[in-house]
Amino acid sequence: MFHEIRFPANLSFGSVGGPERRTEIVALSNGHEERNSPWAHSRRHYDAGLGLRSLDDIAALIAFFEARGGQMHGFRWKDWADYKSCLPGREPAWRDQVIGTGDGRETRFQLVKRYSSGPSSYVRPVVKPVRGTVRLGVGGDEMREGVDYEVDTTTGIVTLTHAPGDGAEITAGFEFDVPVRFDTDRIAVSVATFRAGEVPQVPVIEVRL
């Protein structure tokens, strides 16, 4: 089960983490390699552990952990290094990402983010957009949320009131969270002083939805 609640952003700030890929490599007798990946999408790992923080912060982390039942329930995570449809130093705009092309019939489109380098690119489905941040454009014109389109923030699917015309480009800008769960059923707390403590390691892993 997934809980539509974000891990406290003030506690996740400064955490360590990022994407993981799975590559299978076979060394051939002639010295060459064959490489294959069973994963179409990367999977992100983070560490929610806290350095020396106030006991109030420690209490907030423990409460969040207990309310999720440890590894039982998923939740939202703000990846401070990658939470926008644009570069980190910019604000999301409706032209940021191409999410589809109209055919005169389809009204539902999945939010995505494209990562490009040289001739290659990777398209990542965005399934947990942040409410109130999604901006949409169709055929070069910005649309109005609640009038021209609706956003399902639990799936990342945008539904337009009218189907875009054949060949019309649908673009979007947004902020988003990563769906994750705790990767442990145990938290170890160290109280350093009467006002501060530490939680050295709290692993968090992305979940597929």
Side-chain angles (χ1 to χ4, degrees):
M1 184 176 178
F2 192 88
H3 292 177
E4 290 292 339
I5 184 172
R6 178 193 274 175
F7 185 86
N10 65 308
L11 300 185
S12 65
F13 186 78
S15 61
V16 177
E20 174 196 18
R21 284 284 179 174
R22 180 66 55 82
T23 306
E24 297 173 346
I25 303 174
V26 177
L28 305 179
S29 59
N30 60 7
H32 290 275
E33 293 180 342
E34 287 187 354
R35 294 181 295 276
N36 181 59
S37 177
W39 291 4
H41 301 288
S42 56
R43 192 178 193 187
R44 283 157 171 77
H45 295 254
Y46 305 97
D47 189 348
L50 304 179
L52 193 64
R53 300 290 288 265
S54 72
L55 292 182
D56 287 350
D57 284 346
I58 301 294
L61 171 60
I62 292 174
F64 192 92
F65 179 84
E66 292 284 22
R68 306 288 85 73
Q71 300 184 78
M72 181 62 68
H73 301 295
F75 53 92
R76 288 172 171 259
W77 174 274
K78 183 172 183 175
D79 181 345
W80 285 90
D82 187 6
Y83 68 95
K84 298 179 182 180
S85 57
C86 54
L87 292 174
R90 300 179 182 175
E91 291 300 316
W94 59 272
R95 294 181 183 271
D96 285 347
Q97 302 288 330
V98 176
I99 65 170
T101 303
D103 61 5
R105 299 184 303 275
E106 185 60 59
T107 59
R108 289 160 49 89
F109 298 89
Q110 176 70 56
L111 292 176
V112 298
K113 180 175 181 179
R114 181 171 281 97
Y115 299 79
S116 300
S117 177
S120 302
S121 64
Y122 161 62
V123 178
R124 175 188 181 185
V126 172
V127 298
K128 296 297 176 185
V130 176
R131 186 180 303 277
T133 70
V134 179
R135 301 177 63 186
L136 198 76
V138 175
D141 295 318
E142 185 171 10
M143 301 289 103
R144 296 170 296 170
E145 185 175 0
V147 177
D148 302 309
Y149 67 95
E150 299 288 345
V151 181
D152 186 341
T153 56
T154 67
T155 63
I157 293 176
V158 176
T159 303
L160 288 149
T161 305
H162 303 289
D166 191 33
E169 192 174 70
I170 298 93
T171 57
F174 45 82
E175 291 186 8
F176 62 96
D177 293 324
V178 182
V180 300
R181 65 167 171 80
F182 288 111
D183 199 21
T184 182
D185 276 326
R186 178 176 179 269
I187 284 183
V189 179
S190 171
V191 177
T193 73
F194 286 110
R195 294 185 178 181
E198 294 178 283
V199 184
Q201 291 184 323
V202 185
V204 173
I205 188 169
E206 184 176 3
V207 294
R208 310 286 194 200
L209 298 175

